[in-house]
Amino acid sequence: MERIILYQQVADDLKRKILSGEYDVGDFLPTETELERIYSVSKITVRNAIKVLVSEGYVEKQSGKGTTVISNLLFNRLSKAQSFSSILEHEGSQLEKRILSIDEVSSEDSPVQFDLNRLTGHISRISKIYDLNGKPYILLHHYLPFQLTDEMKYELEKVSLYQVIKEVGEMVNNFDDEFFAYKLNSDEQRQLQTTEDIGIRRIRKSYNHLGKMIEYSEAIYLTSLNPYKIKYEI
């Protein structure tokens, strides 16, 4: 079995359990011996899997105590890249979210086709603005292949979209980002309250562990207000 479940696969499964809340922040992971038994792998495979989780910031290993979950944030996966919102916060800027609308669209009106839509029969669209220091900065549209309850819609004012996705039994395993130079149309200028017509457009496609797309988003950044930045640790 060890030839099938290698350390990366063990690490990925443990990450899914951390992100789903099976192992909460502050919990101890099973011991090395227990993990060997659970996954039918060797001690070295378990240790390498734990090293992956430590390097990505999910767990902390303490000699004589065990391995503790210290974070359940999805974007620990980008542990070598600091998130854009954290960069802005570090610079002293304030980024605030405003929900513009939450509705459903037909598959014909969706910019992307979801395999899961065939099962759920729903595509939800969430439109929002992020204000940077009180000025409209990001216009964002999310598309999800399932229906949002009233409770979920309320929660979106307070928690991240990825927490809500977890509530329908899905979890983001990986995502792809694409960035383009973009010319804003008049409606986008109106919503961003600007006469500037050039910005950055970001397309994000998020997938579950089966490779099925569970979120598609389009974002427009008004880069005349602030450039988009990425910082990497070496």
Side-chain angles (χ1 to χ4, degrees):
M1 179 131 181
E2 184 171 345
R3 288 181 304 221
I4 300 173
I5 303 180
L6 302 175
Y7 75 90
Q8 187 62 58
Q9 292 171 292
V10 173
D12 287 343
D13 190 61
L14 288 171
K15 278 187 277 189
R16 280 195 290 270
K17 291 178 178 180
I18 290 171
L19 291 170
S20 69
E22 184 172 340
Y23 300 133
D24 206 351
V25 174
D27 288 350
F28 284 97
L29 292 185
T31 65
E32 288 184 356
T33 301
E34 290 170 333
L35 290 173
E36 287 176 52
R37 187 185 73 253
I38 291 170
Y39 293 104
S40 299
V41 295
S42 68
K43 188 177 295 292
I44 189 64
T45 299
V46 168
R47 288 180 176 175
N48 284 335
I50 296 301
K51 285 180 182 178
V52 171
L53 297 179
V54 170
S55 69
E56 294 186 0
Y58 288 102
V59 302
E60 182 179 59
K61 190 172 177 60
Q62 295 180 315
S63 179
K65 292 185 178 180
T67 304
T68 310
V69 178
I70 59 173
S71 178
N72 58 6
L73 299 178
L74 170 69
F75 292 99
N76 282 354
R77 297 176 188 275
L78 301 179
S79 57
K80 295 299 180 183
Q82 189 177 355
S83 72
F84 184 47
S85 59
S86 65
I87 292 172
L88 293 174
E89 183 178 347
H90 181 73
E91 293 176 346
S93 296
Q94 187 172 9
L95 196 65
E96 294 184 333
K97 174 178 66 179
R98 288 188 285 126
I99 303 290
L100 298 179
S101 63
I102 301 175
D103 57 7
E104 288 197 20
V105 298
S106 66
S107 58
E108 292 78 15
D109 292 331
S110 172
V112 68
Q113 297 302 307
F114 294 94
D115 287 341
L116 291 178
N117 175 244
R118 298 193 188 101
L119 299 175
T120 66
H122 297 277
I123 297 179
S124 297
R125 176 176 58 191
I126 304 155
S127 299
K128 53 191 179 184
I129 290 273
Y130 281 91
D131 293 325
L132 180 66
N133 300 324
K135 295 181 180 180
Y137 177 49
I138 307 169
L139 175 62
L140 182 58
H141 303 287
H142 296 282
Y143 295 84
L144 309 172
F146 46 78
Q147 187 176 35
L148 295 175
T149 65
D150 289 340
E151 183 179 357
M152 290 176 182
K153 293 176 184 178
Y154 175 76
E155 287 178 347
L156 279 169
E157 295 281 357
K158 301 179 179 180
V159 302
S160 78
L161 174 70
Y162 301 102
Q163 287 293 118
V164 172
I165 288 176
K166 283 167 58 177
E167 292 185 21
V168 298
E170 289 290 354
M171 190 183 311
V172 175
N173 187 69
N174 62 285
F175 61 82
D176 297 329
D177 275 347
E178 297 178 348
F179 294 88
F180 310 87
Y182 184 72
K183 184 176 176 64
L184 281 69
N185 62 38
S186 58
D187 186 55
E188 291 161 346
Q189 288 176 306
R190 178 186 59 78
Q191 292 184 84
L192 287 169
Q193 300 175 22
T194 183
T195 57
E196 298 286 342
D197 63 353
I198 299 296
I200 286 179
R201 185 175 185 229
R202 189 205 73 202
I203 302 269
R204 172 168 292 172
K205 298 175 182 178
S206 302
Y207 302 90
N208 64 15
H209 69 288
L210 297 175
K212 301 293 186 182
M213 191 189 307
I214 57 174
E215 182 236 357
Y216 172 90
S217 67
E218 300 177 345
I220 298 170
Y221 294 78
L222 193 58
T223 48
S224 60
L225 189 62
N226 198 87
Y228 189 97
K229 301 178 181 178
I230 300 176
K231 292 186 179 181
Y232 289 94
E233 297 176 8
I234 304 299

